[in-house]
Amino acid sequence: MPNRRSRGYQPRWKPQASSLELLAAVDQVLNRYTDHLPLTIRQVWYSLISDGVLAKESRTYKRLIEVIGMGRRSGRIPWEALRDDTELKAEPVFYAGPDDFHAVLRQAANGYRLDRQTGQPIRLEVWSETAGMVSQLRAVAEPYGVPVYSGSGFSGLPAKRTAALRMAADPRPVRVFVVSDWDPSGVHLFSALAEDVEAFAAVDAPGSEVVFERLAVTEQQIEEHRLPTTPRKPPTTVPSPAAPPPRLRPCRPTSSPPSYAMRSPPAVIR
């Protein structure tokens, strides 16, 4: 039986009234976060949940994917407004000629900058459990020279060992700010991440000092920003993408009780 799904561009698409309402809500989300585009569809979904437009159910996410897909095929939604972090590229590097090569060199020279963490007593890193959050976190961290890493759900062994090798190459103490879900598994992953990296560092970078701190999601942020929770059996889950991009900006460590809550880091960035 042939697949009846749409193919290619669909300029004649005529959405039903319910789809038009959903598209209008998507427009509001994209306009609200213009400075943070492109977003992932999942981030749009969480925003619509926060707005009360959709229920937090798998069926609404699937429907949103379909409606946004047709919106893009029809030209209703700009392709550049959304991104798909699952796409991988391996393109060869080549130039149209000497002039093209020189233009690339000039562009690289215009982007010359020094490491802003050079000379600081502590080196900072940001780790995100969700790869889709990296671009938004980078927008906040890059001006300070702070790198952002995604740990493949914090389960990837290479990422943990590579972190230990970075400590071996730079003897300064390291403070890692972690962005991850707030649920039992997220808390466990946070703890397991710290223990595993410290164990690798004990061999690859003996004597190194590393401190892991939860930057988001915290109980304080859940209450303050009224973040949506996953409707499942207790305890509750709050995924990190539930915090829209602008809400991440003020989520810098502040004074609060120890453990997995945010703590005040030293002023290492001047």
Side-chain angles (χ1 to χ4, degrees), residues 183-199:
D183 63 1
S185 61
V187 172
H188 170 72
L189 284 172
F190 175 81
S191 176
L193 169 69
E195 294 172 357
D196 217 0
V197 172
E198 289 170 355

Side-chain angles (χ1 to χ4, degrees), residues 139-163:
V140 178
E142 186 174 33
Y144 302 99
V146 178
V148 180
Y149 302 98
S150 174
S152 301
F154 298 152
S155 61
L157 281 177
K160 298 174 184 177
R161 179 175 178 271
T162 301

Side-chain angles (χ1 to χ4, degrees), residues 70-111:
M70 288 303 299
R72 301 176 86 180
R73 289 177 183 272
S74 67
R76 176 68 172 70
I77 298 176
W79 289 91
E80 298 78 13
L82 298 163
R83 71 177 194 274
D84 183 359
D85 292 328
T86 62
E87 181 182 7
L88 299 177
K89 297 181 180 180
E91 299 176 338
V93 178
F94 53 85
Y95 305 95
D99 291 341
D100 185 27
F101 178 69
H102 292 154
V104 172
L105 292 180
R106 287 192 295 271
Q107 183 178 5
N110 291 334

Side-chain angles (χ1 to χ4, degrees), residues 165-179:
L165 295 178
R166 286 196 298 272
M167 297 174 200
D170 189 331
R172 290 177 295 173
V174 181
R175 181 152 296 185
V176 179
F177 296 123
V178 179
V179 178

Side-chain angles (χ1 to χ4, degrees), residues 42-121:
R42 196 166 190 84
Q43 288 172 330
V44 174
W45 182 57
Y46 279 118
S47 295
L48 294 175
I49 293 170
S50 298
D51 293 343
V53 176
L54 296 177
K56 193 171 184 182
E57 301 172 356
S58 59
R59 63 179 181 83
T60 66
Y61 182 61
K62 293 178 180 178
R63 178 168 179 259
L64 180 64
I65 292 176
E66 293 177 357
V67 172
I68 285 181
M70 288 303 299
R72 301 176 86 180
R73 289 177 183 272
S74 67
R76 176 68 172 70
I77 298 176
W79 289 91
E80 298 78 13
L82 298 163
R83 71 177 194 274
D84 183 359
D85 292 328
T86 62
E87 181 182 7
L88 299 177
K89 297 181 180 180
E91 299 176 338
V93 178
F94 53 85
Y95 305 95
D99 291 341
D100 185 27
F101 178 69
H102 292 154
V104 172
L105 292 180
R106 287 192 295 271
Q107 183 178 5
N110 291 334
Y112 174 79
R113 60 181 294 185
L114 298 175
D115 183 358
R116 298 202 66 181
Q117 294 204 59
T118 298
Q120 301 292 345

